[in-house]
């Protein structure tokens, strides 16, 4: 008979594999578990388990790319998820399952709450949690389990409490960054023995820096009011604990001081507001509603400001605004016109398109004006003239590449253009150092604002059929320019959502086209978005294919609803739409890209969305030679939009028949909000393909 101990051992051995089978989780499943703990995880759309991959590891040969997952020898060794705007929390339990995980980066996200129990990751070597909103204290034994840790970055959070004395037990730690938190108390007596880099600046520490820590530069301890690198007689190294009585005696005086300060600040703010109310800038829409819009911010900063129409802003009328307040208004306006016309080799306003009538520089001088934007080329203003006509005046700098004669000829050529999807300039005023460009004012604003701004009624109207209308209109207008301005180095040069205005019926109108040959790009290298195409960034001259690239970005913007990082000069913020879309399509996950605002109500249109997405991706090819030319790209957009519109109409007619049948049967069911939106969309899209009598043909062939 077997020994009882042996039986126990055999039973235990049999139970271990069974338990392991129950708890064993594949790498793909662990990543999906981690993703579930995040909010705002759209940037991780490539994290999914497909029917083709099954339970295959993300690091296995032939597996699709998992964004941010680092592999080595077929195993997950790192996660680089920094700067993805992730929120929620970090499921450490999911990370523990990765036996070969050595580095994780969650820096630059929106995580909040207590720092996760990352001390459970005992095999980790590098952890980066900077630039989040983590709070709470570090446990006393936090560092005792992290004997393999070499780099820990916790700076720019909201951590508090004392720095654990167990820090000395992190025997392999080389870098420790704790700056810009709220750590308090005194430093522990000993640092980790191998520590090479240490930063505890801008916290709330006190006491004297221990001798063992003084091998680090004094600046690494700065910003702590009561922390003394070396004790001195003129600086306290400890907070003075005040008695309750003395504190209560001082509180009335403190309250009076605070009250006086608030009153003074309020008065100063009122004075400043009165002085600057006539020149408020609307940051939400800097391109038509102002300038060239190269500094557009991501949607979170796009806030529609109160209009200041009626309050005069004379800053675009010349250097000295005081002349408007002296003497008779008409005489002052005439004097201002003379000032603008003098010294710069210029005269009055030159009308190049009279669709809004004929007006002069003095009419603009007398107009009620407001600042509505500022960009790389200069500022823009809305001006309402005495006859009620509203225009946008753009004050353009660095537009001095061409001679005066060449400039005037080009402006007359641009003003004479007639197309349903172009908004040509109405007039200009020439000076050597700067030019005034006058456009018709379009109240709805730009596609940039409607798509990424305050998401009001206009955003609700930007559904799938309307986005098709915008896409085909932009393609037609740009292709027309490529026929009419074929001799230009880049016919449009500044195609982006900020330069696509939306008429009341959502018909897109392109502005700021044809200026590439007039701008001195040495003085203003970032003024034209076409010069951010990959070939230009690599040092090659700008060409017509750069416009094709920009068209692809606009199509991706319409399909995804995301703000393109290309529009930002510092490339911080927004979404790299090109990388996101190309990788998703290569892996067959393009359906994860589409804006949920359109997919939720128009699921049947997913095949058409996918076809348009493929056109967009072809337009943003890194190799300019592989991109279609503009005429071909526009024709492909036309083809996709025509098929998509036909599908929408068929569904609309079928839905109408069902409603009629339900009504005949006595049904009292009310139509849904989604159906209401679709009905409105059908009214808006009936004009797609029709000629605009106001602006001319929509044909894109020259």
């Amino acid at each position: 008979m077997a020994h009882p101990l042996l039986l126990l051992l055999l039973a235990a051995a049999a139970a271990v594999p069974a338990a392991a089978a129950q708890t064993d989780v594949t790498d793909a499943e662990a990543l999906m578990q981690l993703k579930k703990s995040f909010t705002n995880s759209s940037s991780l759309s490539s994290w999914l388990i497909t029917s083709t991959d099954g339970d295959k590891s993300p690091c296995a040969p032939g597996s699709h790319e998992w964004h941010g997952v680092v592999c080595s020898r077929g195993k997950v060794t790192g996660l680089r998820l920094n700067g993805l705007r992730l929120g929620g929390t970090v499921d450490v339990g999911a990370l523990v399952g990765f036996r070969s995980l050595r580095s994780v980066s969650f820096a630059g996200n929106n995580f909040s709450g207590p720092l996760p129990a990352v001390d459970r990751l005992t095999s980790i070597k590098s952890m980066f949690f900077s630039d989040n909103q983590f709070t709470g204290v570090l446990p006393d034994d936090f560092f005792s389990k992290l004997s393999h840790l070499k780099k820990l970055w916790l700076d720019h959070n909201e951590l508090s409490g004392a720095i654990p004395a167990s820090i000395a037990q992190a025997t392999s730690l080389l870098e420790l960054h704790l700056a810009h938190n709220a750590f308090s108390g005194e430093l522990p007596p000993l640092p980790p023995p191998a520590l090479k880099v240490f930063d505890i600046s801008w916290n709330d520490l006190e006491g004297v820096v221990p001798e063992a820590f003084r091998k680090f530069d004094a600046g690494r301890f700065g910003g702590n009011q009561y922390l003394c690198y070396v004790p001195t007689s003129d600086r306290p190294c400890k907070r003075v604990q005040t008695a309750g009585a003395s504190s209560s005696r001082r509180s009335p005086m403190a309250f009076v001081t605070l009250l006086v300060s608030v009153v003074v600040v309020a008065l100063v703010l009122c004075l400043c507001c009165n002085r600057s109310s006539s020149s408020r800038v609307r940051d939400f829409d800097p391109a038509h509603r102002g300038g060239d819009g190269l500094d557009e911010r991501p949607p979170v900063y796009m806030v529609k400001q109160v209009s200041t129409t009626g309050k005069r802003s004379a800053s675009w009328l010349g250097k000295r605004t005081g002349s408007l307040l002296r003497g008779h208004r008409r005489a002052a306006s005439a004097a201002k016109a003379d000032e603008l016309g003098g010294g710069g080799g210029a005269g009055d306003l030159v009308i190049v398109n009279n669709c809004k009538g004929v007006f002069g520089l003095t009419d603009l001088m007398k107009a009620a004006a407001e600042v509505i934007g500022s960009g790389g080329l200069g500022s823009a203003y809305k001006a309402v003239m005495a006859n009620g006509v509203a225009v946008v005046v753009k004050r353009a700098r660095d537009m001095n590449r061409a001679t005066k004669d060449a400039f005037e000829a080009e402006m007359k050529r641009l003003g004479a253009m007639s197309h349903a999807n172009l908004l040509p300039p109405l007039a200009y005023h020439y000076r050597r150092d700067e030019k005034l460009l006058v456009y018709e004012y379009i109240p709805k604003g730009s596609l940039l604002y409607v798509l990424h701004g305050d998401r009001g009624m206009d955003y609700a109207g930007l559904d799938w059929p309307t986005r098709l209308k915008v896409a085909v209109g932009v393609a037609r207008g740009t292709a027309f320019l490529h026929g009419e301005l074929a001799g230009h180095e880049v016919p449009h040069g500044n195609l982006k959502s900020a330069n696509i205005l939306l008429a009341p019926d959502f018909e897109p109108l392109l502005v700021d086209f044809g200026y590439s040959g007039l701008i001195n790009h040495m003085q203003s290298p970032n003024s034209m978005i076409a010069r951010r195409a990959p070939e230009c960034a690599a040092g090659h001259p700008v060409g017509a294919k750069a416009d094709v690239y920009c068209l692809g970005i606009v199509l991706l913007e319409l399909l995804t609803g995301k703000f393109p990082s290309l529009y930002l000069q510092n490339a911080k913020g927004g979404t790299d739409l090109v990388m996101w879309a190309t990788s998703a399509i290569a892996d067959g996950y393009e359906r994860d890209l589409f804006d949920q605002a359109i997919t939720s109500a128009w699921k049947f249109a997913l095949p058409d969305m996918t076809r348009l997405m493929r056109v967009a991706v072809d337009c943003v090819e890194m190799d300019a030679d592989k991109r279609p030319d503009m005429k071909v790209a526009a024709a492909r957009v036309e083809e996709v939009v025509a098929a998509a519109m036909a599908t929408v109409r068929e569904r609309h007619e079928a839905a109408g028949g069902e409603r009629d049948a339900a009504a005949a049967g006595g049904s009292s069911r009310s139509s849904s909000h989604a159906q209401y939106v679709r009905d409105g969309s059908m009214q808006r899209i009936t004009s797609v393909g029709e000629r605009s009598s106001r602006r001319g043909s929509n044909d894109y062939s020259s």
Side-chain angles (χ1 to χ4, degrees), residues 471-472 475 548 551 555 608 610-619 621 626-643 700:
V472 74
V548 178
L551 173 64
L555 294 177
D608 293 319
T610 302
R611 283 190 283 272
L612 188 58
M613 176 69 73
R614 293 184 182 277
V615 176
V617 170
D618 287 346
C619 290
E621 273 280 353
K626 294 182 180 179
R627 295 176 208 150
D629 62 33
M630 185 58 73
K631 187 173 183 179
V632 172
R636 290 182 61 187
V637 173
E638 288 265 12
E639 181 182 359
V640 172
V641 170
Y700 60 77

Side-chain angles (χ1 to χ4, degrees), residues 534-559:
E535 62 273 20
C536 302
H540 299 290
V542 67
K545 292 292 185 73
D547 270 349
V548 178
Y549 185 86
C550 295
L551 173 64
I553 294 293
V554 172
L555 294 177
L556 292 175
E557 195 175 353
L558 282 168
L559 288 167

Side-chain angles (χ1 to χ4, degrees), residues 3-89:
H3 195 280
L5 179 59
L6 181 58
L7 288 176
L8 291 175
L9 292 175
L10 291 174
V16 169
Q22 293 176 355
T23 59
D24 190 23
V25 177
T26 66
D27 287 351
E29 291 171 339
L31 288 174
M32 295 305 296
Q33 178 183 339
L34 177 63
K35 181 181 177 180
K36 288 180 181 178
S37 67
F38 301 152
T39 59
N40 193 28
S41 60
S42 58
S43 55
L44 299 180
S45 58
S46 61
W47 285 28
L48 46 85
I49 299 176
T50 65
S51 57
T52 55
D53 288 346
D55 291 336
K56 184 187 297 182
S57 169
C59 298
S63 175
H64 73 273
E65 180 183 356
W66 293 61
H67 180 72
V69 177
V70 180
C71 299
S72 178
R73 298 181 180 179
K75 297 181 180 180
V76 176
T77 59
L79 294 176
R80 296 176 183 172
L81 305 180
N82 47 297
L84 299 181
R85 299 187 179 181
L86 301 172
T89 185

Side-chain angles (χ1 to χ4, degrees), residues 186-201:
E186 298 186 2
L187 283 169
L190 294 174
L195 195 63
K196 302 295 182 185
V197 178
F198 179 66
D199 192 346
I200 193 63
S201 58

Side-chain angles (χ1 to χ4, degrees), residues 301-380:
Y301 298 114
M302 296 181 185
V303 179
K304 191 171 184 178
Q305 297 187 9
V306 178
S307 174
T308 57
T309 304
K311 295 186 178 182
R312 183 171 302 277
S313 172
S315 59
W316 61 274
L317 308 178
K319 297 179 179 179
R320 298 191 302 273
T321 60
S323 61
L324 286 175
L325 305 177
R326 296 194 299 268
H328 193 272
R329 178 175 296 178
R330 183 177 299 275
S333 300
K336 185 59 59 180
D338 291 340
E339 179 187 336
L340 276 175
D348 198 5
L349 204 65
V350 179
I351 302 295
V352 294
N353 187 310
N354 61 4
C355 73
K356 304 301 289 183
V358 178
F359 49 91
L361 193 60
T362 53
D363 296 307
L364 290 181
M365 301 303 110
K366 294 181 289 183
E370 59 173 315
V371 184
I372 57 174
S374 181
L377 284 180
S379 302

